[in-house]
Amino acid sequence: MSASPDAPPLQMIVIGAGVVGLSAALALQERGLSVLVLDREGPAAGASAGNAGAFAFTDILPLASPGILKKAPKWLLDPLGPLSVPPGYALQIAPWMFRFWRACSPAQVAASTVAQTALMDLSKAELEPFLARAGALGMLRKDGNLQVYESQAEFDAGLEGWKARADHGIEFRHMRPEEMAEIQPGLNPRFTHGTFTPGWFSIADPKLYVLALAERFRAQGGAIKIAEALALKPLEEGVEIALSGGEALRAERVVLAAGAHAHLLAQSLGERIPLETERGYNTTLPSDAFDLRRQITFGGHGFVITRLSTGIRVGGAVELGGLKRPPNFKRSEAMLRKARDFLPGLKTEGGTQWMGFRPSLPDSLPAIGFSKAAPRVIHAFGHGHLGLTQSAGTARLVADLATGAAPALDLTPFSPQRF
Ligand SMILES: Cc1cc2nc3c(=O)[nH]c(=O)nc-3n(C[C@H](O)[C@H](O)[C@H](O)COP(=O)(O)OP(=O)(O)OC[C@H]3O[C@@H](n4cnc5c(N)ncnc54)[C@H](O)[C@@H]3O)c2cc1C
């Protein structure tokens, strides 16, 4: 392996050492390829570190849907609520929001649900063998998710979505408060209904998981270089990556897995991909903050509470505020205040706040496929709320593409050129 432009190129460079990039790097190694991972900060620097740790395989319905359009006006009224657009960013994000709105049509929702289900099924099938090979099976938890509702009306409004999930073979059980109290004592009685999904798994801690993937990758001979990629250039038999500092790297193929920043590098190839970020916030409390038995989703409030091996994480929310504004941690505080009300025994002292950039495309599907401008570049980004969930499936697909194998599923709905 060499960084010099005159040396023979590496077989693969993966840009981005988040959960998507490192999962792909391991899958490429397993196919016998030499792989370098490039990240400007090192493993687990982005959204993959601070997410809620869920393998939300049952979350097959796209976010872009008529349901969200109904909730959005009310949510937008509360500046610290589940959805916000800072006024200074509204104009910039308007084209993305227009595309999002268009993706809410019944035909597009149906098509996205079929595509998302296929990627979820693949990701679920790949996950345990992948974790076993990565030596991380011990970090997997299968304790399900409890979504809670505050009224009959809120519960009824979700029934259509549950029917759609049932149509796609997803298991769930609606619960009354007595049953909810059995699987999660200490919930505020304001929650009158719940739905338990057993097929929703989680990871002990998302950051430790990505660091474990990095460790396994290195142990198998992979190299991780800390440097910023500035631009990509197609070559006759490969791709050149210009780095900050003037250096350049060459590889036969490149995987672009730079999360919410990936479109900036695609742009250097002349490709315009409407990637935006849905900024999310959380607070991680000490482990003894609450006797949490499994992840709980407060759907009407746009956040979850999760039990990790390293603490209790309260977070979610969507802020359509771009990549440059400083975090507004009043959002983390607002969710924590609500969480204390929803779980009256929750101890809210001693937490650590975090903000991360979900990489989001307007139709709620990721971009997985060859770049049009540079067919030796494989795009693997835009997983929005589901990057951890879909990481093992995406890794399988990237390895299929890189080795010329038939992809494990039809990639048309995920085409980077679909916009
Ligand atoms: C609050 C919150 C909760 C979430 N909860 C869940 C959940 O429970 N389950 C789930 O599946 N998903 C969840 N997500 C979404 C999930 O975290 C993301 O989809 C996922 O982490 C994206 O992974 P990634 O590898 O594509 O990007 P990242 O983890 O962001 O990694 C991208 C990497 O690329 C590097 N990079 C960027 N630009 C360059 C460059 N020019 N040169 C070199 N390196 C570069 C960055 O340093 C970074 O390390 C959540 C997200 C948030 C914010």
Side-chain angles (χ1 to χ4, degrees):
M1 290 189 181
S2 166
S4 156
D6 302 323
L10 291 156
Q11 286 181 300
M12 300 291 314
I13 295 179
V14 177
I15 305 177
V19 73
V20 174
L22 278 164
S23 303
L26 281 168
L28 292 165
Q29 260 185 343
E30 282 163 14
R31 305 274 177 115
L33 297 167
S34 63
V35 190
L36 174 99
V37 172
L38 181 68
D39 195 290
R40 61 179 163 209
E41 289 181 63
S48 302
N51 64 49
F55 291 105
F57 295 122
T58 59
D59 233 355
I60 55 164
L61 304 179
L63 197 68
S65 63
I68 208 86
L69 293 184
K70 268 189 221 151
K71 285 184 194 164
K74 185 178 148 221
W75 280 355
L76 284 166
L77 283 179
D78 175 1
L80 296 180
L83 174 65
S84 66
V85 186
Y89 200 68
L91 210 59
Q92 237 171 303
I93 197 148
W96 185 92
M97 287 177 92
F98 178 66
R99 285 192 156 105
F100 182 94
W101 172 75
R102 275 210 325 214
C104 294
S105 73
Q108 181 61 48
V109 170
S112 297
T113 304
V114 170
Q116 198 72 292
T117 306
L119 184 54
M120 290 298 199
D121 288 349
L122 175 69
S123 298
K124 190 170 184 181
E126 291 290 316
L127 181 67
E128 288 185 57
F130 177 83
L131 291 177
R133 294 193 300 273
L137 201 51
M139 298 179 93
L140 183 67
R141 292 173 170 175
K142 294 188 174 179
D143 34 19
N145 174 281
L146 177 64
Q147 169 141 3
V148 293
Y149 305 91
E150 283 166 274
S151 65
Q152 182 76 45
E154 190 194 348
F155 175 69
D156 288 348
L159 285 177
E160 205 182 318
W162 289 111
K163 184 183 173 311
R165 289 184 185 92
D167 291 345
H168 286 89
I170 289 177
E171 260 182 73
F172 55 85
R173 203 164 74 244
H174 295 313
M175 289 183 167
R176 304 297 302 184
E178 317 76 71
E179 278 179 283
M180 283 152 61
E182 261 170 46
I183 65 165
Q184 181 55 66
L187 267 170
N188 188 318
R190 69 193 275 164
F191 296 107
T192 54
H193 297 72
T195 306
F196 178 63
T197 38
W200 179 294
F201 302 163
S202 55
I203 200 79
D205 180 275
K207 180 170 183 177
L208 297 183
Y209 173 55
V210 177
L211 294 177
L213 297 183
E215 212 33 61
R216 175 55 62 123
F217 173 70
R218 285 196 186 100
Q220 291 175 175
I224 301 181
K225 182 177 172 74
I226 300 192
E228 181 172 24
L230 296 181
L232 306 179
K233 188 169 102 185
L235 306 170
E236 210 162 289
E237 297 210 350
V239 183
E240 185 171 287
I241 307 173
L243 303 183
S244 57
E247 201 186 339
L249 291 177
R250 284 181 179 187
E252 289 172 18
R253 287 184 193 277
V254 164
V255 178
L256 182 50
H261 295 81
H263 60 309
L264 303 173
L265 288 166
Q267 215 169 311
S268 73
L269 291 166
E271 272 178 297
R272 294 182 70 81
I273 299 181
L275 186 74
E276 265 293 344
T277 180
E278 295 179 63
R279 294 152 56 116
Y281 288 84
N282 65 37
T283 306
T284 307
L285 300 166
S287 294
D288 66 355
F290 193 77
D291 177 18
L292 192 67
R293 309 280 170 89
R294 54 189 34 82
Q295 190 175 61
I296 303 179
T297 300
F298 303 102
H301 298 269
F303 75 93
V304 299
I305 178 162
T306 311
R307 181 176 61 108
L308 303 173
S309 61
T310 48
I312 301 285
R313 182 162 289 168
V314 178
V318 166
E319 183 185 49
L320 297 170
L323 294 167
K324 293 193 179 138
R325 305 172 167 264
N328 175 3
F329 285 117
K330 286 189 181 152
R331 297 194 174 288
S332 307
E333 287 155 25
M335 285 185 274
L336 204 53
R337 276 195 299 276
K338 282 188 178 177
R340 193 174 42 201
D341 180 16
F342 299 167
L343 301 167
L346 181 72
K347 292 185 234 151
T348 53
E349 302 79 36
T352 309
Q353 295 173 325
W354 178 86
M355 186 274 282
F357 299 113
R358 297 184 191 92
S360 299
L361 288 159
D363 59 0
S364 314
L365 298 176
I368 306 171
F370 293 112
S371 150
K372 192 173 180 193
R376 286 171 172 272
V377 174
I378 298 169
H379 290 320
F381 57 81
H383 295 77
H385 294 237
L386 296 166
L388 171 67
T389 306
Q390 298 178 336
S391 52
T394 302
R396 161 76 193 269
L397 293 165
V398 166
D400 287 344
L401 293 175
T403 54
L409 55 83
D410 174 19
L411 284 176
T412 316
F414 306 101
S415 164
Q417 286 85 44
R418 68 186 183 272
F419 298 103

